[in-house]
Amino acid sequence: MEEKFVFDSKKRWVLGSGMILGLLCMLITFFKDDELHTRFWTNYLHNTVFFVGIALMSLFILAAFTTAFAGWSTLIKRVWEAYALFLVPGLVLLLVLIIGVWGHWHHLYHWADAEAVKTDKVMFGKSGFLNKYWYTFGTIIVVGAWIYFAQRIRKYSVEEDANGPGEDFSYHRKIRTLSVIFLPIAGFSSAAMVWQWVMSLDAHWYSTLFAWYSGSSWFLAAIALTILLIIYLKAQGYMPKVTANHLHDLGKYLFGISVFWTYLWFSQYMLIWYANVGEETIYFRERLDNYKPLFFLNLLFNFVAPFFVLMRNDTKRKVGTMVFASIVVFVGHWLDFFLMVKPGARLTALEAMAHHAGEVHDAASHGSGLPFAMGFSFPGLLELGTMFGFLCLFLYMAFTQLAKASLVPKNDPYLEESLHHHVV
Amino acid sequence: MKQEKEVLYGLYDDEEILLGAVKAAKAEHLEIMDVFTPFPVHGLDEALELEESRLHIAGFIYGAIGTLTAFLFMTWVFTRDWPIIFGGKPYWSVPAFIPITFELTVLFSAIGMTVSFFTVCGMAPGRTNPTLDDRITDDKFCIAFDAAGAGEDMLNRLRSFFSQTGASEVHLKTI
């Protein structure tokens, strides 16, 4: 059952050039940028958060499936283990953002501007949570904890391969214990982190649904990337035991969580729309005024397309439709995060630049008629290139981890169930 | 109206034996009337060469009818029949319609599918369906053949089929 994935030089070369392309795109963005390098930093934040989230959700999937006694997924769990370990380089990427906050490299967060916080009632009220210390130590401690769980779960899983299931399945029991502890920690801490990283870009605004909504976005991106990688590995001749039945169940996740995402997206929108409270509606007002195409594209990619493509049984079992749906959903959720990140950070930067230029600015003048700006109003080629670079980095790290252990967890007690997995 | 049926059925103790028997029956071109199992047996549908159920297509159509009913009805009420302004919102407030549209979609498709299923299966309140053997809901796996009008030769052939494929009991019953 032992199956080795070979991360050969051709793959390294392709992914390496992808990373260089991404880096090149980031450099071009940086030098073509405004004085605060807003486009560069928002791209950096957007992709970092997106891929760290995918890693986190992969770990979450592992832990949730272990806790739920899921057997079908055992054959593909090595993919999630490899994805989850991207948290380590992810933390390094986040550290750059943190140092940027301290060193004033970027001007992403309005709350990081000490002078603005002094005179701004709302931000002053939030400054107990939205401050550099929370941002720094929250990120390091929380992501550090996630890394701890990712590495421990991986360690026992690999040791299980080498030493057998152990007495009374001791390795599996250890993984289960870690999973059970991790789940509530992940639930609360991921919410706190996404508030810090993303929601606080619109420092005046908040939504209690935001963490769920962005979390489901991460989850879908992780599932889509899992499906794509598995189909790729199968095309390369790996994972012969993974069948249409496993694909079918992954497709159900892609379908079901897409509907869940839509539910959250809509609930957040409708409650704010109905209550019509100024400081809440500003978030959607801004996006509907200046980002209309993206706003609706988001729904098209993340709800309409997966809903209708994946509704039938057979489309979840066919490679073609699954690849199509996965790519659409992956790009869709990347766009979703684009729309969470860009508008708020852009306003913050515009305000800061106006302030530098000595203009009197008025917070209420937000929103009306921002000119079209490539990279903000719509993702341009540079954004896509940056995303591609990050994706290649992510896959490079994942392939490195995949090559370190057998693709089949041969001593997992649930392996037999996974081999005989059968739906419909 | 009660239709009498003469049924020859065999009981098996295990689903693997049953699956083998079903395949053997197919190979011998014996026409199986029905198979009863206490739980869903993987691979049985394929072995019996059953068509995929069309219930979900019906479900989609019922759901779509629900969507249209809810949405068009609310549109008519709030723009033509009785327009009211709620909280300064326009008469035709699509976001406010979505939850009810969703609910009616689910309701229509759930009720529609239930009624369709009951109709296709010939079930209704007050109707009793005769059971071949009570143990088919417990621990026995049953293959039933239609024995109406079957001659002695055919019955013997079926009986020997049952004994060859490992049935633990064989009964002839009129229900």
Side-chain angles (χ1 to χ4, degrees), chain A residues 266 269-270 273-274 276 311-312 422, chain B residues 42 46 60 89 93 95-96 98-99:
Chain A
F266 178 72
Y269 177 80
M270 190 191 68
W273 169 83
Y274 231 138
N276 205 12
M311 189 188 283
R312 282 188 60 86
H422 196 282
Chain B
H42 280 308
E46 284 95 334
F60 179 79
K89 301 285 189 288
S93 288
I98 302 264

mmCIF file of all heavy atoms in Angstrom, chain A residues 266 269-270 273-274 276 311-312 422, chain B residues 42 46 60 89 93 95-96 98-99:
data_model
loop_
_atom_site.group_PDB
_atom_site.id
_atom_site.type_symbol
_atom_site.label_atom_id
_atom_site.label_comp_id
_atom_site.label_asym_id
_atom_site.label_seq_id
_atom_site.Cartn_x
_atom_site.Cartn_y
_atom_site.Cartn_z
ATOM 1 N N PHE A 266 -25.697 35.998 2.203
ATOM 2 C CA PHE A 266 -26.980 36.666 2.066
ATOM 3 C C PHE A 266 -27.491 37.158 3.411
ATOM 4 O O PHE A 266 -28.046 38.255 3.511
ATOM 5 C CB PHE A 266 -28.004 35.739 1.404
ATOM 6 C CG PHE A 266 -29.346 36.388 1.285
ATOM 7 C CD1 PHE A 266 -29.535 37.410 0.373
ATOM 8 C CD2 PHE A 266 -30.390 36.022 2.103
ATOM 9 C CE1 PHE A 266 -30.747 38.055 0.272
ATOM 10 C CE2 PHE A 266 -31.610 36.666 2.013
ATOM 11 C CZ PHE A 266 -31.788 37.676 1.093
ATOM 12 N N TYR A 269 -25.822 40.293 4.241
ATOM 13 C CA TYR A 269 -26.312 41.378 3.400
ATOM 14 C C TYR A 269 -27.713 41.803 3.806
ATOM 15 O O TYR A 269 -27.989 42.982 4.011
ATOM 16 C CB TYR A 269 -26.305 40.952 1.924
ATOM 17 C CG TYR A 269 -26.880 42.012 1.027
ATOM 18 C CD1 TYR A 269 -26.117 43.106 0.646
ATOM 19 C CD2 TYR A 269 -28.200 41.944 0.599
ATOM 20 C CE1 TYR A 269 -26.643 44.097 -0.147
ATOM 21 C CE2 TYR A 269 -28.740 42.936 -0.198
ATOM 22 C CZ TYR A 269 -27.958 44.014 -0.569
ATOM 23 O OH TYR A 269 -28.489 44.999 -1.338
ATOM 24 N N MET A 270 -28.606 40.811 3.935
ATOM 25 C CA MET A 270 -30.011 41.171 4.121
ATOM 26 C C MET A 270 -30.252 41.863 5.457
ATOM 27 O O MET A 270 -30.994 42.832 5.524
ATOM 28 C CB MET A 270 -30.912 39.949 4.031
ATOM 29 C CG MET A 270 -32.363 40.365 3.982
ATOM 30 S SD MET A 270 -33.521 39.038 4.190
ATOM 31 C CE MET A 270 -33.230 38.596 5.865
ATOM 32 N N TRP A 273 -29.001 45.360 5.128
ATOM 33 C CA TRP A 273 -29.878 46.089 4.216
ATOM 34 C C TRP A 273 -31.201 46.452 4.901
ATOM 35 O O TRP A 273 -31.706 47.568 4.795
ATOM 36 C CB TRP A 273 -30.131 45.216 2.984
ATOM 37 C CG TRP A 273 -31.215 45.700 2.069
ATOM 38 C CD1 TRP A 273 -31.090 46.639 1.093
ATOM 39 C CD2 TRP A 273 -32.574 45.264 2.038
ATOM 40 N NE1 TRP A 273 -32.294 46.803 0.453
ATOM 41 C CE2 TRP A 273 -33.218 45.977 1.018
ATOM 42 C CE3 TRP A 273 -33.295 44.327 2.788
ATOM 43 C CZ2 TRP A 273 -34.561 45.783 0.711
ATOM 44 C CZ3 TRP A 273 -34.628 44.150 2.479
ATOM 45 C CH2 TRP A 273 -35.251 44.869 1.454
ATOM 46 N N TYR A 274 -31.750 45.492 5.656
ATOM 47 C CA TYR A 274 -33.047 45.717 6.285
ATOM 48 C C TYR A 274 -32.954 46.749 7.403
ATOM 49 O O TYR A 274 -33.760 47.673 7.498
ATOM 50 C CB TYR A 274 -33.597 44.405 6.854
ATOM 51 C CG TYR A 274 -34.994 44.116 6.411
ATOM 52 C CD1 TYR A 274 -35.405 42.845 6.033
ATOM 53 C CD2 TYR A 274 -35.935 45.137 6.350
ATOM 54 C CE1 TYR A 274 -36.686 42.588 5.596
ATOM 55 C CE2 TYR A 274 -37.222 44.905 5.909
ATOM 56 C CZ TYR A 274 -37.588 43.627 5.534
ATOM 57 O OH TYR A 274 -38.857 43.383 5.104
ATOM 58 N N ASN A 276 -30.690 48.961 7.899
ATOM 59 C CA ASN A 276 -30.372 50.253 7.296
ATOM 60 C C ASN A 276 -29.739 51.220 8.294
ATOM 61 O O ASN A 276 -30.155 52.373 8.407
ATOM 62 C CB ASN A 276 -31.648 50.857 6.701
ATOM 63 C CG ASN A 276 -31.328 51.835 5.589
ATOM 64 O OD1 ASN A 276 -30.188 51.887 5.132
ATOM 65 N ND2 ASN A 276 -32.313 52.605 5.172
ATOM 66 N N MET A 311 -25.401 20.136 -8.952
ATOM 67 C CA MET A 311 -26.639 19.658 -8.346
ATOM 68 C C MET A 311 -26.867 18.171 -8.648
ATOM 69 O O MET A 311 -27.277 17.407 -7.794
ATOM 70 C CB MET A 311 -27.811 20.483 -8.850
ATOM 71 C CG MET A 311 -29.089 20.190 -8.099
ATOM 72 S SD MET A 311 -30.499 20.979 -8.832
ATOM 73 C CE MET A 311 -30.291 22.642 -8.292
ATOM 74 N N ARG A 312 -26.592 17.764 -9.864
ATOM 75 C CA ARG A 312 -26.845 16.369 -10.225
ATOM 76 C C ARG A 312 -25.771 15.439 -9.670
ATOM 77 O O ARG A 312 -24.648 15.849 -9.417
ATOM 78 C CB ARG A 312 -26.903 16.235 -11.737
ATOM 79 C CG ARG A 312 -28.202 16.693 -12.327
ATOM 80 C CD ARG A 312 -28.246 16.350 -13.794
ATOM 81 N NE ARG A 312 -28.129 14.908 -13.996
ATOM 82 C CZ ARG A 312 -29.152 14.059 -13.960
ATOM 83 N NH1 ARG A 312 -30.344 14.504 -13.752
ATOM 84 N NH2 ARG A 312 -28.958 12.777 -14.150
ATOM 85 N N HIS A 422 -18.159 3.624 -1.006
ATOM 86 C CA HIS A 422 -19.106 3.443 -2.092
ATOM 87 C C HIS A 422 -20.332 4.308 -1.838
ATOM 88 O O HIS A 422 -20.986 4.137 -0.821
ATOM 89 C CB HIS A 422 -19.492 1.955 -2.136
ATOM 90 C CG HIS A 422 -20.134 1.562 -3.409
ATOM 91 N ND1 HIS A 422 -21.434 1.831 -3.695
ATOM 92 C CD2 HIS A 422 -19.642 0.921 -4.496
ATOM 93 C CE1 HIS A 422 -21.715 1.366 -4.900
ATOM 94 N NE2 HIS A 422 -20.639 0.815 -5.399
ATOM 95 N N HIS B 42 -25.010 -2.155 -0.682
ATOM 96 C CA HIS B 42 -24.231 -1.532 -1.743
ATOM 97 C C HIS B 42 -24.063 -2.479 -2.921
ATOM 98 O O HIS B 42 -23.742 -3.642 -2.739
ATOM 99 C CB HIS B 42 -22.855 -1.124 -1.226
ATOM 100 C CG HIS B 42 -22.893 0.163 -0.472
ATOM 101 N ND1 HIS B 42 -23.451 1.295 -1.000
ATOM 102 C CD2 HIS B 42 -22.457 0.489 0.752
ATOM 103 C CE1 HIS B 42 -23.349 2.273 -0.126
ATOM 104 N NE2 HIS B 42 -22.764 1.805 0.951
ATOM 105 N N GLU B 46 -27.017 -1.985 -8.896
ATOM 106 C CA GLU B 46 -26.308 -2.319 -10.129
ATOM 107 C C GLU B 46 -26.573 -3.771 -10.511
ATOM 108 O O GLU B 46 -26.806 -4.090 -11.673
ATOM 109 C CB GLU B 46 -24.793 -2.117 -9.976
ATOM 110 C CG GLU B 46 -24.351 -0.665 -10.013
ATOM 111 C CD GLU B 46 -24.221 -0.092 -8.619
ATOM 112 O OE1 GLU B 46 -24.906 -0.609 -7.702
ATOM 113 O OE2 GLU B 46 -23.445 0.857 -8.431
ATOM 114 N N PHE B 60 -36.693 18.551 -8.192
ATOM 115 C CA PHE B 60 -36.227 19.824 -8.751
ATOM 116 C C PHE B 60 -37.385 20.609 -9.350
ATOM 117 O O PHE B 60 -37.508 21.819 -9.140
ATOM 118 C CB PHE B 60 -35.159 19.559 -9.812
ATOM 119 C CG PHE B 60 -34.638 20.812 -10.447
ATOM 120 C CD1 PHE B 60 -33.694 21.581 -9.790
ATOM 121 C CD2 PHE B 60 -35.094 21.225 -11.692
ATOM 122 C CE1 PHE B 60 -33.213 22.737 -10.359
ATOM 123 C CE2 PHE B 60 -34.616 22.389 -12.265
ATOM 124 C CZ PHE B 60 -33.674 23.150 -11.602
ATOM 125 N N LYS B 89 -38.264 51.032 2.239
ATOM 126 C CA LYS B 89 -37.760 50.184 1.165
ATOM 127 C C LYS B 89 -38.689 50.267 -0.040
ATOM 128 O O LYS B 89 -39.880 50.560 0.121
ATOM 129 C CB LYS B 89 -37.675 48.726 1.646
ATOM 130 C CG LYS B 89 -36.770 48.523 2.849
ATOM 131 C CD LYS B 89 -35.321 48.596 2.433
ATOM 132 C CE LYS B 89 -34.414 48.188 3.572
ATOM 133 N NZ LYS B 89 -34.347 49.209 4.642
ATOM 134 N N SER B 93 -38.979 44.639 -3.111
ATOM 135 C CA SER B 93 -37.731 44.493 -2.367
ATOM 136 C C SER B 93 -37.264 43.054 -2.435
ATOM 137 O O SER B 93 -37.612 42.244 -1.589
ATOM 138 C CB SER B 93 -37.938 44.881 -0.903
ATOM 139 O OG SER B 93 -38.080 46.268 -0.809
ATOM 140 N N PRO B 95 -34.445 41.381 -1.773
ATOM 141 C CA PRO B 95 -33.810 40.690 -0.631
ATOM 142 C C PRO B 95 -34.809 40.205 0.413
ATOM 143 O O PRO B 95 -34.634 39.138 0.993
ATOM 144 C CB PRO B 95 -32.876 41.745 -0.048
ATOM 145 C CG PRO B 95 -32.578 42.642 -1.182
ATOM 146 C CD PRO B 95 -33.821 42.684 -2.012
ATOM 147 N N ALA B 96 -35.875 40.995 0.610
ATOM 148 C CA ALA B 96 -36.850 40.594 1.619
ATOM 149 C C ALA B 96 -37.657 39.385 1.162
ATOM 150 O O ALA B 96 -38.225 38.663 1.979
ATOM 151 C CB ALA B 96 -37.783 41.758 1.929
ATOM 152 N N ILE B 98 -36.406 36.810 -0.521
ATOM 153 C CA ILE B 98 -35.581 35.596 -0.664
ATOM 154 C C ILE B 98 -35.861 34.537 0.408
ATOM 155 O O ILE B 98 -36.035 33.364 0.068
ATOM 156 C CB ILE B 98 -34.080 35.960 -0.695
ATOM 157 C CG1 ILE B 98 -33.797 36.923 -1.840
ATOM 158 C CG2 ILE B 98 -33.211 34.702 -0.756
ATOM 159 C CD1 ILE B 98 -33.317 36.348 -3.116
ATOM 160 N N PRO B 99 -35.922 34.910 1.704
ATOM 161 C CA PRO B 99 -36.150 33.848 2.698
ATOM 162 C C PRO B 99 -37.433 33.068 2.434
ATOM 163 O O PRO B 99 -37.450 31.839 2.492
ATOM 164 C CB PRO B 99 -36.231 34.609 4.021
ATOM 165 C CG PRO B 99 -35.447 35.838 3.791
ATOM 166 C CD PRO B 99 -35.677 36.204 2.359
#
